[in-house]
Amino acid sequence: MAIKSLLIINKSGGLVYQRDFIPSPHGKMNSNEYLILAGTLHGVVAIASQLTPKALQVSSTQNLLPLPSQATATAANAANATNTANNGSTTALGGYGDGAGSGSGSGSAANSSPSAAAAATAVAAAAAAAPEHTVPYIPSLGMAANDSKPPGRPMGSYLAPDYFSDSFISWNKSGLKSIVTNDFSIFLYQSLTGVKFVLISTQQSTSNAALHLADNLLRKVYCLYSDYVMKNPFYSADMLIRSEPFDKKLHALVANL
Amino acid sequence: MAIYSFWIFDRHCNCIFDREWTLKADSSSGTTNSKQNEDTAKLIYGMIYSLQSISRRISSSTNSVKTISTGKYRIHLLPTTTGIWFVLFSDLKQQDLSQVLQYLYGEIYVRYVARNMLSPVDFAESTNETRGQGFRKINNRNFIRAVDRFLGPMVSQL
């Protein structure tokens, strides 16, 4: 995917950084229009988290209060089934958020082998950690090839070869994540402190893989932000970002894609 | 696979049809044309309207939003040139439901509403219903039954 533009929005909805990487064929938007864009996105994120469908509201309350008999029954089923691939559907059906304790209790009741019970509790623990919000790590995204690395410390306070090397949890659990239109798509990454990173890219795929790719890239931008914006003593919080090293590193990151 | 709700908005910013399923396990559960959903419908309309205007400003004026994803659900959108929006809420496993929306428009809406002599052409009958204050809904029994029959099997599938 080619990246058209990148925006950073502070926690009160103001635009603090904007950069175009590809000149738009439809004429450039002026800075006022970008400010409106940032404010609108900030508002839409708030609305989107208000709009939870009723089916999800009902199922979340059911997960909080599962019937004890049902919970142990599904746990026994999971303990009997050694095939962990099949367990995905049973964990999705049963209220499994707090099923770890009941799983170990029913393991002895079902008299199954200890290894199967351990596997069942492991699956339950994985389900409790909400895998739907985990973003898989995509290796060497936007990283320079080894031979072309400049001398010194190319990655700020991070150690080479990459900023992070594990899957991570998305903090944006109910708000807006992406918008796909006929011409381009917008991806949002939100930090726990309320800073939003917005990416406008030229691809129109609605797949979850594209979402994960954008989350990985924006997390790297967040790493750059924490290095070159937050550690700048001349930067006052929530104001415009004017930092040359941040610009340079961002261009290098996008150019490596 | 799960579908949460289905909405139709007309060109006067009014919601003219809504169908929301409350239980994933039961495709006959939920509400049709509910008064309680009026506020939700306004939030949905406002959100989509502002995103449409953003996308037109960034790109060309013919550009339109296809899908909107959040952390919990995904919205699929089909705008028509007559200004009617077909909006479908689904879970995140559904990547592209544009063909489903196309069928809802071409085979169900056109058949039971547009070609129906007894159904109003425009759901705002006077000028004071054209600014989002309209209350008229699609109450055609055949239309509601056809929507339920078509979308029902998709509600409960896991």
Side-chain angles (χ1 to χ4, degrees), chain B residues 19-36:
Chain B
R19 176 82 178 93
E20 179 154 42
W21 290 273
T22 39
L23 291 174
K24 265 194 265 183
D26 182 9
S27 61
S28 63
S29 68
T31 53
T32 309
N33 289 336
S34 160
K35 267 256 185 270
Q36 290 175 333

Side-chain angles (χ1 to χ4, degrees), chain A residues 163-175:
Chain A
Y163 290 100
F164 51 92
S165 57
D166 254 327
S167 60
F168 54 96
I169 288 174
S170 167
W171 292 115
N172 187 4
K173 284 182 181 156
S174 60

Side-chain angles (χ1 to χ4, degrees), chain A residues 4 24 26-27 29 33 36-37 40-41 44 47-56 58-59 62 89 92-93 132-133 172-184 186 200 204 206-209 211, chain B residues 3-5 20-24 31 34 36-37 39-41 43-44 46-47 50-51 53-60 62-75 89 92-96 158:
Chain A
K4 267 170 114 135
S24 170
H26 306 283
M29 284 166 70
E33 285 180 313
I36 296 171
L37 172 79
T40 316
L41 280 177
V44 167
I47 295 177
S49 55
Q50 293 286 308
L51 278 177
T52 313
K54 286 217 183 68
L56 287 179
V58 169
S59 63
Q62 275 179 347
S89 55
L93 276 172
E132 58 194 307
H133 293 302
N172 187 4
K173 284 182 181 156
S174 60
L176 186 72
K177 272 195 158 166
S178 85
I179 304 155
V180 182
T181 75
N182 293 329
D183 286 357
F184 62 89
I186 299 178
I200 305 178
Q204 300 116 48
T206 55
S207 69
N208 290 330
L211 212 64
Chain B
I3 286 175
Y4 299 133
S5 54
E20 179 154 42
W21 290 273
T22 39
L23 291 174
K24 265 194 265 183
T31 53
S34 160
Q36 290 175 333
N37 278 339
D39 289 346
T40 318
L43 282 180
I44 294 169
M47 181 167 105
S50 43
L51 290 181
S53 75
I54 281 182
S55 72
R56 292 207 174 127
R57 206 169 296 163
I58 293 176
S59 178
S60 61
T62 52
N63 191 28
S64 75
V65 175
K66 279 196 296 191
T67 60
I68 302 162
S69 322
T70 75
K72 283 185 175 162
Y73 55 89
R74 186 165 280 163
I75 306 173
F89 279 58
L92 289 167
K93 283 177 205 144
Q94 313 309 310
Q95 301 198 339
D96 193 7
L158 278 171

Side-chain angles (χ1 to χ4, degrees), chain A residues 59-228:
Chain A
S59 63
S60 67
T61 51
Q62 275 179 347
N63 279 343
L64 287 175
L65 301 164
L67 292 173
S69 59
Q70 270 185 359
T72 47
T74 48
N77 283 341
N80 287 336
T82 46
N83 188 359
T84 49
N86 284 340
N87 280 352
S89 55
T90 39
T91 50
L93 276 172
Y96 235 102
D98 46 359
S102 62
S104 56
S106 70
S108 56
N111 278 333
S112 59
S113 66
S115 64
T121 47
V123 170
E132 58 194 307
H133 293 302
T134 310
V135 181
Y137 165 65
I138 296 164
S140 69
L141 180 71
M143 289 292 112
N146 280 330
D147 48 336
S148 65
K149 204 167 272 179
R153 305 202 57 178
M155 296 184 48
S157 59
Y158 294 88
L159 291 173
D162 206 345
Y163 290 100
F164 51 92
S165 57
D166 254 327
S167 60
F168 54 96
I169 288 174
S170 167
W171 292 115
N172 187 4
K173 284 182 181 156
S174 60
L176 186 72
K177 272 195 158 166
S178 85
I179 304 155
V180 182
T181 75
N182 293 329
D183 286 357
F184 62 89
S185 36
I186 299 178
F187 298 99
L188 259 94
Y189 176 88
Q190 204 169 4
S191 78
L192 199 56
T193 48
V195 186
K196 292 179 193 67
F197 294 82
V198 183
L199 187 79
I200 305 178
S201 97
T202 52
Q203 62 122 23
Q204 300 116 48
S205 153
T206 55
S207 69
N208 290 330
L211 212 64
H212 291 154
L213 208 70
D215 266 355
N216 267 270
L217 183 68
L218 286 173
R219 195 172 188 229
K220 285 178 184 172
V221 178
Y222 186 35
C223 291
L224 289 178
Y225 172 84
S226 55
D227 244 8
Y228 296 104

